[in-house]
Amino acid sequence: MKALTGNRLDDGEAVFASGDRWVPRFADADLFEDDQAALAAEAHAKTELTVVVDPYLIDVIPSDNGYAPLSFRERVRALGPTNKPEHGKKTEGGEAIEALLHAHGAARSKGRIELIRRK
Amino acid sequence: MYRYDAIDKEMLADRVQEFREQCARRLAGELTEDQFKRIRLMNGLYLQLHAYMLRIAIPYGALNSAQLRKLAFIAGTYDKGYGHFTTRTNLQLHWIKLKDAPDILEHLAEVGMHAIQTSGNDIRNITADPHAGATADEADDPRIWAEAIRQWSTFHPEFSFLPRKFKIAVTASPSDRAATKVYDIGLRLHRNGDGELAFEVMVGGGLGRTPYLGSTIRKHLPVRHLLSYLQAILRVYNRHGRRDNIWKARIKVLVASLGPEGFAREVDEEWETSDKARVDLPDTELARIRAAFAPRDFQTLPATSTAFEAAKSNPAFARFARHNVKPHKIPGYALVDVSLKQPGETPGDCSVEQMQAVADLAERYSMDEARVHYEQNLILPHVKLDDVPAVWKALDAVGLATPNRGLITDIIACPGLDYCALANARAIPIAQAIARKFADPALAERVGDLGIKISGCINACGHHHVGAIGILGVDKKGEEFYQLTLGGSPEANATLGQSLGPALPADKVAGAVDQLVEVYLRERKGEERFLDTFRRTGLAPFKEAVYADAH
Ligand code: SF4
């Protein structure tokens, strides 16, 4: 399963594709079962010049009663920095945040690999 | 302190206006991200995991109270109420919005600051000994020369598209507080046999994937030729640097491949044929810059202060005095270290309230000066010994009086995977876990001088290669692992650390540091520091302790 993510252009916030919008909560992200649909959404996102920067697909796994990004880096993006409990999306709390906090998967982040490739 | 003149101010104002228009064009979709990215990076604006990050240059780490207050204002208005001081003595703001960036740059310009050349393949912020102008052991004030290099290198057309980024550090003391051996160029001012001021020029240092210590290519460069000689080095680098491979593009690779002698020959050839007089600083200009750093109006005071000595009856103050108060060149004065390393906090972070407090103290007690040390701490450089107890009290009230400079809890940590888009692993929580273990100041003091340095990836912003204990975050199939190195040092007799063994998982690192410290305490002889014991015993006993379970 995949989700589509990027950073919002005007404030840099980590956002996720949801229908025709970009939302800050991972729990509201569209989850793509179908790789073709995910790739099509990514291709479309790359045309949304004034909305989102460098969109890319991430792998998603089930966790607790919800879902979480497979890569730890993507979970940090979805939660905020781990050194400051008072900052970032995790402050919202609730089940969806718990699912992210308890996820155990690990994988190299495509976001990082892409970034280094383009550098 | 150097103050911008009318030309500097006009140039900055133009630059801010230009960036304002470029941001507007980007937000309107007239520029693509690929087109805009270079522009924003040229203005110090990065895009990281959670937001944009603005890296503000603090040339040679020097700040006055107005500048520090402005940074506090920006951090409080446009960020989440804090900033992060880096190993390049810059300030990073981690929660910046693109739409606010032009306003922030306008605010910075008001106090003679900017974020230009804090990114990109150009000559970056010039760093220098943070004790400059206050230490007895300097041959000259290194800020004068760092400022000259800053002016020469800012917007230098020939060197704004180098093969890779380029960092210069300047010291004028035998004890190296600017880590000059780990930068592209390290400059050490000294007096030669005839008493004339000269630079030892070290080239090709750098950490990162292939770490090197700088090699001396000239021992006694007459100071008047500094700029023409730097030009020659940069020309050779510009000509031969490996633009084809980002991992081989730094000057250290070129110096290593030609050999320091071969590289020096190329530089000399270039230098001899160049028109030195066109580039070297005219005496009048040098005098103008020197005047900005004229010795301060110090009072004649007794060398010892009864108030200072009496305050030591408080053991907490006495401990602070032992670790955070350093001798000044003028009797009756001291340098006061402001630790940004309270155990459990993020190394290098400074809240708005703390910045304001340091600004107030700088204004009232330190001739309006504060400094940033590359070890992610601040300094009040000119405090009367009589005033140190009051300064300590005020620092303590805002959590800035941790008496741990140079000790095991004075850890360098880069932002790592909590913020940085390039990171493999987190650095800050590792630092927090280690610092908590040694949070008892008596324990930290018993362990003594020990530099732990942590980087979240091989770019080595946390200087892990020169940590007595270095910790590097690596990515093992997406999991955070940490490679430990021992025996590194950034000091005058700098060394690179040696690998301890296989990388450890995150939850084992603080425990491993504990084991390393136990071995040291068991093995140490007399006054040996961790580094001295390690140099005597070698890796074996340390390795054995950490990997015993694995056998
Ligand atoms: S060392 Fe790596 S992770 Fe740390 S700040 Fe530098 S680039 Fe980022």
Side-chain angles (χ1 to χ4, degrees):
Chain A
M1 210 174 324
K2 295 201 187 299
L4 180 58
T5 187
N7 288 73
R8 200 154 56 197
L9 173 66
D10 66 352
D11 62 2
E13 169 123 21
V15 285
F16 304 90
S18 174
D20 55 3
R21 295 178 312 136
W22 289 88
V23 294
R25 296 177 75 233
F26 173 76
D28 298 335
D30 286 340
L31 300 181
F32 301 93
E33 302 265 11
D34 172 29
D35 280 4
Q36 285 312 312
L39 288 169
E42 184 187 25
H44 173 71
K46 286 188 196 289
T47 67
E48 293 185 83
L49 262 192
T50 56
V51 185
V52 73
V53 179
D54 296 341
Y56 58 97
L57 291 167
I58 56 174
D59 289 316
V60 173
I61 50 166
S63 168
D64 281 8
N65 297 323
Y67 292 91
L70 172 62
S71 125
F72 182 66
R73 178 187 194 265
E74 295 308 326
R75 295 203 289 277
V76 172
R77 286 182 71 246
L79 285 164
T82 66
N83 61 317
K84 302 224 187 227
E86 70 279 23
H87 291 165
K89 303 179 198 291
K90 62 185 172 298
T91 52
E92 179 192 310
E95 249 187 24
I97 295 295
E98 288 302 313
L100 289 169
L101 288 169
H102 294 154
H104 282 299
R108 290 223 154 126
S109 158
K110 196 174 143 225
R112 176 172 184 272
I113 294 166
E114 285 279 301
L115 190 72
I116 290 171
R117 192 177 56 75
R118 276 201 316 268
K119 227 181 134 181
Chain B
M1 195 158 176
Y2 184 79
R3 301 230 176 238
Y4 280 9
D5 60 17
I7 301 172
D8 296 318
K9 286 183 184 158
E10 202 182 310
M11 203 158 70
L12 263 193
D14 283 352
R15 179 66 173 238
V16 172
Q17 186 51 30
E18 182 185 61
F19 188 54
R20 191 178 287 288
E21 286 160 22
Q22 288 159 335
C23 284
R25 291 180 65 203
R26 173 68 185 103
L27 288 165
E30 291 166 23
L31 293 173
T32 65
E33 184 59 19
D34 280 350
Q35 290 164 335
F36 180 68
K37 187 175 174 182
R38 288 163 192 232
I39 294 171
R40 74 167 154 73
L41 287 175
M42 284 164 89
N43 291 285
L45 194 64
Y46 289 71
L47 182 54
Q48 299 215 313
L49 296 181
H50 317 292
Y52 289 92
M53 179 272 279
L54 184 67
R55 184 181 292 155
I56 299 165
I58 303 174
Y60 35 91
L63 288 167
N64 60 30
S65 60
Q67 290 172 324
L68 201 42
R69 283 197 190 101
K70 183 62 101 177
L71 294 175
F73 166 80
I74 292 169
T77 310
Y78 300 103
D79 201 284
K80 291 188 186 291
Y82 75 101
H84 176 78
F85 288 99
T86 73
T87 52
R88 287 296 297 166
T89 76
N90 295 312
L91 183 76
Q92 291 188 177
L93 297 172
H94 286 142
W95 297 92
I96 294 303
K97 298 177 170 63
L98 174 61
K99 54 190 178 196
D100 291 336
D103 290 344
I104 299 173
L105 295 181
E106 197 166 316
H107 277 293
L108 287 173
E110 279 173 23
V111 291
M113 297 185 81
H114 57 69
I116 295 161
Q117 288 179 213
T118 60
S119 174
N121 295 335
D122 45 32
I123 300 173
R124 300 287 187 89
N125 186 37
I126 312 298
T127 54
D129 184 354
H131 289 195
T135 177
D137 67 355
E138 66 190 9
D140 191 16
D141 191 325
R143 290 173 301 173
I144 297 163
W145 303 95
E147 174 59 26
I149 301 168
R150 187 194 72 77
Q151 295 189 18
W152 167 78
S153 62
T154 302
F155 299 139
H156 196 306
E158 189 178 339
F159 305 131
S160 56
F161 184 58
L162 295 166
R164 200 73 180 87
K165 58 188 168 184
F166 205 90
K167 300 175 183 177
I168 303 176
V170 192
T171 184
S173 297
S175 38
D176 189 350
R177 288 172 291 256
T180 56
K181 282 210 168 71
V182 305
Y183 290 119
D184 299 283
I185 295 181
L187 297 167
R188 191 178 67 81
L189 266 164
H190 61 102
R191 293 201 181 268
N192 66 17
D194 304 328
E196 275 168 26
L197 266 184
F199 282 106
E200 176 183 356
V201 183
M202 296 163 275
V203 182
L207 302 175
R209 186 185 277 199
T210 341
Y212 286 104
L213 297 173
S215 304
T216 298
I217 61 165
R218 194 168 268 263
K219 274 220 159 73
H220 305 286
L221 176 73
V223 286
R224 67 179 184 284
H225 289 312
L226 174 65
L227 296 184
S228 59
Y229 197 73
L230 290 181
Q231 174 183 276
I233 295 172
L234 278 142
R235 282 191 167 167
V236 170
Y237 173 48
N238 227 353
R239 204 174 295 144
H240 300 298
R242 291 281 304 270
R243 288 175 188 272
D244 59 307
N245 181 340
I246 189 172
W247 300 112
K248 297 192 171 165
R250 294 290 288 264
I251 196 173
K252 61 189 176 183
V253 177
L254 181 63
V255 174
S257 76
L258 296 175
E261 300 77 24
F263 182 82
R265 259 197 310 279
E266 295 255 354
V267 170
D268 284 345
E269 245 168 61
E270 169 62 41
W271 190 47
E272 291 307 342
T273 54
S274 71
D275 183 355
K276 299 188 187 70
R278 273 180 63 117
V279 187
D280 284 327
L281 212 54
D283 289 344
T284 47
E285 182 56 14
L286 180 61
R288 188 181 74 89
I289 296 176
R290 186 175 284 284
F293 300 98
R296 308 303 305 259
D297 233 345
F298 295 110
Q299 294 175 19
T300 308
L301 298 170
T304 53
S305 147
T306 27
F308 179 71
E309 296 305 324
K312 287 186 190 167
S313 63
N314 177 343
F317 178 79
R319 183 170 276 129
F320 181 82
R322 281 198 292 281
H323 299 291
N324 293 34
V325 179
K326 306 282 151 67
H328 197 281
K329 65 178 179 183
I330 304 294
Y333 285 83
L335 292 111
V336 174
D337 283 321
V338 178
S339 167
L340 301 180
K341 310 292 179 67
Q342 198 175 41
E345 297 296 326
T346 298
D349 274 12
C350 193
S351 70
V352 166
E353 185 196 17
Q354 291 173 327
M355 285 186 220
Q356 283 164 344
V358 176
D360 291 347
L361 291 172
E363 187 172 34
R364 177 148 178 217
Y365 295 112
S366 183
M367 301 184 163
D368 207 31
E369 285 190 45
R371 305 277 172 80
V372 187
H373 193 296
Y374 82 89
E375 289 174 334
Q376 297 180 293
N377 291 300
L378 301 178
I379 298 174
L380 293 166
H382 308 301
V383 181
K384 280 185 207 157
L385 279 174
D386 287 343
D387 293 333
V388 175
V391 168
W392 169 71
K393 225 174 177 173
L395 289 173
D396 195 38
V398 291
L400 289 178
T402 312
N404 65 346
R405 281 294 283 126
L407 301 182
I408 188 164
T409 49
D410 187 6
I411 300 170
I412 291 182
C414 77
L417 188 53
D418 284 302
Y419 301 92
C420 176
L422 296 171
N424 270 326
R426 289 172 296 165
I428 297 165
I430 300 290
Q432 289 171 316
I434 297 169
R436 282 198 196 98
K437 267 192 188 294
F438 295 93
D440 171 8
L443 172 62
E445 190 164 35
R446 193 159 70 85
V447 175
D449 185 348
L450 204 174
I452 298 183
K453 302 182 201 286
I454 312 175
S455 305
C457 82
I458 196 63
N459 287 338
C461 304
H463 290 188
H464 63 276
H465 298 105
V466 288
I469 299 177
I471 302 174
L472 164 66
V474 294
D475 174 341
K476 275 200 178 176
K477 298 200 180 87
E479 300 219 41
E480 297 175 295
F481 271 73
Y482 297 86
Q483 175 79 61
L484 270 56
T485 48
L486 298 190
S489 163
E491 294 161 11
N493 55 349
T495 43
L496 298 171
Q498 301 169 35
S499 173
L500 182 68
L504 303 169
D507 59 353
K508 293 272 186 283
V509 177
V513 169
D514 218 359
Q515 288 167 314
L516 293 170
V517 168
E518 266 175 40
V519 173
Y520 156 62
L521 293 177
R522 187 187 74 213
E523 300 284 331
R524 87 167 152 198
K525 290 189 175 156
E527 297 293 294
E528 275 182 350
R529 301 169 303 163
F530 180 94
L531 201 56
D532 305 320
T533 303
F534 171 81
R535 283 174 178 164
R536 180 171 52 75
T537 66
L539 267 180
F542 295 96
K543 195 171 179 138
E544 205 170 290
V546 171
Y547 296 100
D549 302 346
H551 296 307

